[in-house]
Amino acid sequence: MKAVTAAEMRSVEEAAVEAGVTLDRLMENAGRAVAHAVAETLGNAQGSRVVVLVGPGNNGGDGLVAAAYLARQGAAVSAYVLAGDGNPAGKRPGALAAGAGIRTAQDAEGIDELGREAASASVVVDAVLGTGSNRPIAAPLSGALRAVRDSNTPVIAVDLPSGMNADTGRLDPNGLPADTTLFLGNPKIGPVAQAGSGQCGEMRTLDIGIPPSLDSGAKAEWMDREFTSTIMPRRQGSAHKGDFGRALLVAGSRRYPGAALLATRAATRSGAGLVDLAAPESVYQMLAAHVPEAISTALPEGQAGEVHPTQAAQQALHCASVASSMLIGPGFGTSGPAAALARSLAAQAGALPTMVIDADALNILAKTYRWWSELPETTILTPHPGEMARLTGLSTRDVQADRLSAATQAAARWGLHVALKGAATIIASPSGRVSVSPFVNPGLAKGGAGDVLAGLMAGILAQIPDRPFEAASLAVYVHGLAGDIARRSKGEIAMNAGDLIDALPEAFMKLA
């Protein structure tokens, strides 16, 4: 499903009008769809008390249409105009005729009344500011929205929470966070990318009658099963293991053998035909028998038990000669020998299969001058926010404040694919394509979850090595879907990285 900027949404609506769908029809469709969604939330609109906040533009018109539909269903509806005279599209008479009350809340008396009504309501519908508003919220609107916040009544936002920027997901300090956000026509890229902030609550997209394919010019995808199922490599009945690629994982150290184990186990669940693990000799001795599906290679170690960088690089290059994808980094550590190995492999990346660079390898490269210059465009980087901060020179707070910009600007600057992990993981390509995961799961905030994603991504990439954006997107979606499956069976607290691997078969079956 395409996620759009404010400008892209305007273009889609203009194209819809050119195709014969009037703005008035879109507004009627939107209001009806919002009313249906609100009624579903309430369970039964009959007898419920609903407060609708109305702004001066088309968003306010959507709210007034919804107010009319809810009133006809038996809800006690009070619509409060918070700015101007109300929507200019003439939806006030219809709301009044349906039985909705319309008041204003633009002075102290009106705001006090709004606060009391909101506190006794079942739900507040926020239809004040839509995608076209980017000005700071000031009095008296700020006071009205504060009164609603103070009521603690659940808020359902129409298209966007009032005060939220459609492109960045930033919410004005005087804005109104929502418990549910009902996107109209298309999800908006800013709130989708900042889903982890919780300011939109549950996010849903409503069909408002825009003809399909008018959003084809948008570059961002809010990943869903339809999008990811088209990426899944097809498996013919006559296929053999050589048809599904060979993934090489260069991973592990004496201190972090588990990272190599988790990544390898995940890779063997990815659909790749063959999986190779190249690990330091001491790690090889610990892990080889635990993943019998993988082909294990011992990388030479020096006397201190550290990997021997020169000999290990030669051995890894030999393994890479028959691989179709390669992962480096999980469990490497950042010792001098490990850093030398990572830099050696990165410097020869042009002669290696398509690569995923993860974890400690990213931290090592972050200390290397112009580290990205040796890497092919097909390379996928998988930083978490802290690693992204080290790679870019930003603070972690800055990365998290605008995750979309952090990912897209880095991908463009480095000429590489970036998968910025976290709640609503973002994949950005050098060409400007973006995909955003729909999954927000605190249960994934556990050690080892990233290693599972890295191994899964390497295995999927082995099958479609010339499509790194699609491989990264599919891996992130399947990983998130497995996380949801594990959360249902284990709970957010107890679920761990191993549970993710166990849930991968079910996740893949859901996409088949």
Side-chain angles (χ1 to χ4, degrees):
M1 182 184 300
K2 293 289 188 178
V4 298
T5 64
E8 288 170 340
M9 193 66 231
R10 285 193 294 272
S11 296
V12 169
E13 290 173 346
E14 289 168 2
V17 171
E18 291 177 5
V21 185
T22 66
L23 287 176
D24 186 71
R25 173 46 52 194
L26 290 175
M27 189 175 293
E28 286 289 330
N29 292 345
R32 183 173 61 250
V34 168
H36 180 72
V38 172
E40 278 188 338
T41 300
L42 293 171
N44 186 359
Q46 180 74 39
S48 298
R49 297 183 61 83
V50 179
V51 169
V52 181
L53 310 180
V54 179
N58 289 342
N59 199 242
D62 300 332
L64 285 172
V65 173
Y69 276 101
L70 287 166
R72 292 190 194 103
Q73 294 177 51
V77 181
S78 297
Y80 281 84
V81 178
L82 303 191
D85 297 326
N87 166 257
K91 298 303 177 184
R92 181 190 289 251
L96 288 170
I102 299 182
R103 304 175 177 84
T104 60
Q106 300 178 34
D107 57 22
E109 183 178 353
I111 290 171
D112 286 345
E113 180 186 350
L114 168 62
R116 290 192 296 272
E117 282 249 27
S120 64
S122 305
V123 69
V124 173
V125 178
D126 171 11
V128 184
L129 301 175
T131 58
S133 178
N134 289 313
R135 290 180 296 178
I137 295 175
L141 179 56
S142 57
L145 296 182
R146 181 170 58 250
V148 175
R149 289 198 305 271
D150 291 346
S151 74
N152 294 318
T153 299
V155 173
I156 297 178
V158 177
D159 214 19
L160 284 175
S162 285
M164 179 166 284
N165 185 294
D167 297 350
T168 68
R170 293 188 184 120
L171 185 67
D172 188 290
N174 292 315
L176 183 61
D179 297 278
T180 302
T181 298
L182 304 174
F183 296 125
L184 302 181
N186 286 81
K188 308 309 179 287
I189 186 61
V192 163
Q194 293 292 118
S197 70
Q199 292 171 327
C200 286
E202 178 191 358
M203 295 183 288
R204 297 170 54 189
T205 303
L206 304 182
D207 181 1
I208 61 171
I210 294 175
S213 302
L214 295 185
D215 59 2
S216 58
K219 290 188 174 182
E221 289 278 354
W222 194 26
M223 287 187 275
D224 56 16
R225 294 185 187 183
E226 182 179 0
F227 169 69
T228 50
S229 63
T230 63
I231 303 171
M232 289 280 289
R234 300 304 169 195
R235 310 180 86 83
Q236 301 298 327
S238 59
H240 57 83
K241 61 188 176 185
D243 293 330
F244 302 112
R246 185 166 185 162
L248 169 63
L249 285 62
V250 184
S253 63
R254 285 193 177 189
R255 187 175 185 187
Y256 304 113
L261 177 61
L262 290 168
T264 306
R265 287 185 60 211
T268 65
R269 291 290 194 186
S270 69
L274 291 167
V275 175
D276 290 312
L277 170 63
E281 185 173 4
S282 56
V283 178
Y284 162 84
Q285 293 173 355
M286 285 188 277
L287 301 187
H290 291 281
V291 196
E293 300 90 348
I295 302 164
S296 299
T297 298
L299 299 179
E301 292 179 331
Q303 291 183 347
E306 294 280 1
V307 67
H308 192 292
T310 303
Q311 295 177 17
Q314 292 173 347
Q315 186 67 51
L317 288 170
H318 176 72
C319 294
S321 65
V322 293
S324 50
S325 74
M326 184 173 179
L327 166 66
I328 65 170
F332 256 37
T334 55
S335 66
L341 174 58
R343 292 190 181 106
S344 176
L345 294 175
Q348 301 178 74
L352 296 173
T354 311
M355 294 179 66
V356 178
I357 303 179
D358 182 58
D360 289 326
L362 294 173
N363 294 323
I364 290 165
L365 291 182
K367 299 176 182 178
T368 305
Y369 177 69
R370 291 187 59 82
W371 54 269
W372 62 88
S373 60
E374 302 289 341
L375 300 174
E377 183 178 300
T378 53
T379 304
I380 304 170
L381 311 179
T382 58
H384 60 54
E387 291 161 348
M388 190 67 163
R390 288 186 280 276
L391 289 166
T392 59
L394 299 171
S395 68
T396 302
R397 176 177 292 182
D398 287 340
V399 170
Q400 290 294 79
D402 192 346
R403 290 168 48 79
L404 181 65
S405 291
T408 55
Q409 290 175 12
R413 178 189 177 196
W414 300 330
L416 305 171
H417 291 76
V418 175
L420 177 56
K421 295 184 292 192
T425 292
I426 297 168
I427 298 92
S429 77
S431 68
R433 294 181 69 190
V434 174
S435 63
V436 183
S437 168
F439 299 106
V440 177
N441 183 352
L444 293 174
K446 307 279 177 62
D451 302 312
V452 173
L453 174 60
L456 178 64
M457 193 176 295
I460 292 173
L461 184 63
Q463 301 166 70
I464 48 173
D466 57 340
R467 301 171 66 196
F469 177 81
E470 288 82 359
S473 298
L474 178 57
V476 165
Y477 189 87
V478 172
H479 182 264
L481 188 56
D484 268 13
I485 294 167
R487 174 168 56 180
R488 287 196 297 271
S489 62
K490 306 293 184 182
E492 291 177 356
I493 295 173
M495 64 179 283
N496 62 26
D499 297 325
L500 285 177
I501 297 170
D502 293 340
L504 288 175
E506 183 178 345
F508 274 114
M509 286 191 293
K510 287 180 179 292
L511 296 182

